[in-house]
Amino acid sequence: MRTLTAATTLAVLFSSAALAAAPAFADSSRILPVTSTGDIVVDGVHQRVFVSDPNDGKIVVTDYSGTVVKEVTNLPGVTGLELSADSGTLYAAVRDADAIAAIDTATDTESARYPVGHGPLSVALAGGKLWFGYGAAAQGNLGSLDLSGGQPVVALDLDRSWYSAPILDAAPGSNTLVAGAVGQSPVELASYDVSSGTVTRLASTRDAGSNLGDIKVTPDGQDVIVASGAPYYQQVFKTSDLTADGKYPTNPYPNAVAVAPDGTVAGGTFSWYDPDVHVFKPHTTTPVRQYDFPNTGNTSGSDTLAPRGLAWAPDESRLFAVSENSQGVYSLRVLTDPVFSRPVLTVDAPSTATRGKALTVSGALTASVPLPAGTPLTVTRTDTESPNGTSLGTTSLGADGKFSFTDTPPAGGKVTYTVTYAGDATHTSATASDTVEVSRTATTVTLNNDGKVYGYGKDVTFTAHLGSTYRNRTVEIWADPFGSDKPNKLVKSGTVNRDGNLSVTLRLTRDTTVTARFTGDARYQPRTATSTVHAQVQVSTSVGGHYKTKNTWGQTYYYFHKSHDPLFTTTMTAYPGRSQKLELQVYYQGTWHDAGSQYFKLSSTGVSKVRLTGTHETGYRFRVRSSYYNATSGDTVNSTTHGAWRYFLFTS
């Protein structure tokens, strides 16, 4: 590990610098307020996304995060969209108004409306004009709108060979226009030269599959990429003669395609159980990225891509996708790092290891765009002594995409090995880790006073003793009084003295569990010790109604006339729902005998008053006491406590 060359380390630094150009934001999704979608266009100058909604007759405008900023309404049946070269105007085919609307992108408001042929479906800029496909069933046609002069000029009936209104596309600034028939099987595809101001058909084909979803001309104007429901890949045709020129393998049911300015292709598919978006570098057959939408509906299949629902940000930092769930809810998904291959990094460390002995960590780094042997990976070890991590240098990727390294962990406990690939001009970064439980030596922690019973309010000193450790000599002492109303509380934390002791004095008012806790260190395991100590209640009983007191038979006796009822007032430590047990005994034949007992509820202040009624016999000695019994007195927060006996007798 530590013998790799400095050149390798520098390679990591350089690759990290190269990665700085890659976007660093996460995929996101926002619900769109639409009931249908027709097209999507991205304006890089104003950082706006436009989504047409034919059913509701509007264009929804969002920012790059997908947050809706405006809705352009009164556009019945609006479908196809096209952005001017300067991003100043968005053109929209307003099918049910037989018009093309111009939207000012600086204000997101309609600035003009141009009446054209019946039912325009799509628009495309080529050869200095705006071209549109229009017409009802059996009446498909092409038209153009020339806005270069003082007045707009509309030309119709330029190609009446289409069964229905075709969709159109052209490369920015080119003179080649491509049209495709929607809803036909097989799909008809045609290309035109529009440099003369009208359409001259270059070629046509019926080899473009069935159920056309979308077409996009590549930025160089040389190819058109077709997304049809079948075949199960995005077809590529030359625009010059519409002969096959490759394909981009995706999934069944292609329905969308978008091409970035550098030629990177995003192919979309209608896929419940497979990836929905597939990103390819030009003229390749393995996707550099794939995106699989989550399931936000109520069926087993995930959300699906809307037809013609893909568009690139001009700087290629984002790919926007419109999805629909099983409940008809549409979302705008912002897909990040679309042109970067996302590597998968795995790290495998042993589950346990011995401190001070070498262990081996292995793993693999795979990507859709393969990484070369020797690709550097940085390694960091995090443990109790280095919670912020310690660099272990770099390790290199082997020809098989795997790596391994050895390390001798100096600290015990949880040790985490983190491996990082910095990324490069074609790959995102990747990080993965695994944790090893490294052995530590056991130490001892003891705590005194376990099981002892103390009077209410007694100050008791608890001493924790810590045995041998490595560096950590800190002990925490926690006190947890019985009862849910009193939390476990840290009462002292500190370094033990030279004898290994740490003490704290607590005033006990309830049964309490005291815990001494050593959190461990790099070489010794955590350890705890507990002592449960018991605290009695305060209890006293006063006697009322007597006519005198006298010390006799070794006690103080209260004298009552037999016609008077004694009053016994008990005061006890208060607790919600607590009762005291009043016990009465009588003395005869030389010993005390039970004469009855009963529990009496205490007031919220801990007072209970009981009057002894009935026929009172003379010639007998009596005694009474109040007691708290754990559990039977209504709670378990104190230890059983007996009050002092009070002695009394009756006279005539």
Side-chain angles (χ1 to χ4, degrees), residues 163 181-188 206-212 228-231:
Y163 178 77
V182 180
Q184 288 185 1
S185 182
V187 171
E188 181 182 358
R206 289 185 176 271
D207 293 330
S210 60
N211 299 317
L212 178 66
S228 296

Side-chain angles (χ1 to χ4, degrees), residues 41 50 71 223 244 466 476 532 557 600:
V41 166
F50 302 93
E71 294 184 10
D223 288 315
L466 176 64
E476 299 173 350
T532 299
Y557 273 78
F600 295 94

Side-chain angles (χ1 to χ4, degrees), residues 479-525:
D480 188 7
F482 281 32
S484 59
D485 59 326
K486 297 288 186 180
N488 191 20
K489 184 178 180 181
L490 178 65
V491 292
K492 189 168 186 178
S493 177
T495 303
V496 298
N497 62 20
R498 64 182 183 181
D499 296 323
N501 297 329
L502 180 72
S503 298
V504 65
T505 299
L506 303 177
R507 178 159 292 180
L508 299 180
T509 59
R510 297 186 184 183
D511 294 355
T512 302
T513 298
V514 181
T515 301
R517 181 177 300 161
F518 168 64
T519 59
D521 59 25
R523 299 184 182 181
Y524 283 82
Q525 300 171 1

Side-chain angles (χ1 to χ4, degrees), residues 24 33 48 126-127 187 201 219 234 245 264 276 282 294 422 430 450 530 637:
R48 292 289 185 261
V187 171
R201 184 175 282 219
Q234 267 74 358
D245 196 25
T264 301
D276 304 270
D450 185 42
T530 60
V637 303

Side-chain angles (χ1 to χ4, degrees), residues 27-49:
D27 294 351
S28 62
S29 176
R30 298 288 179 89
I31 292 176
L32 286 170
V34 300
T35 59
S36 66
T37 60
D39 203 358
I40 177 173
V41 166
V42 180
D43 172 8
V45 173
H46 302 97
Q47 294 202 343
R48 292 289 185 261
V49 181

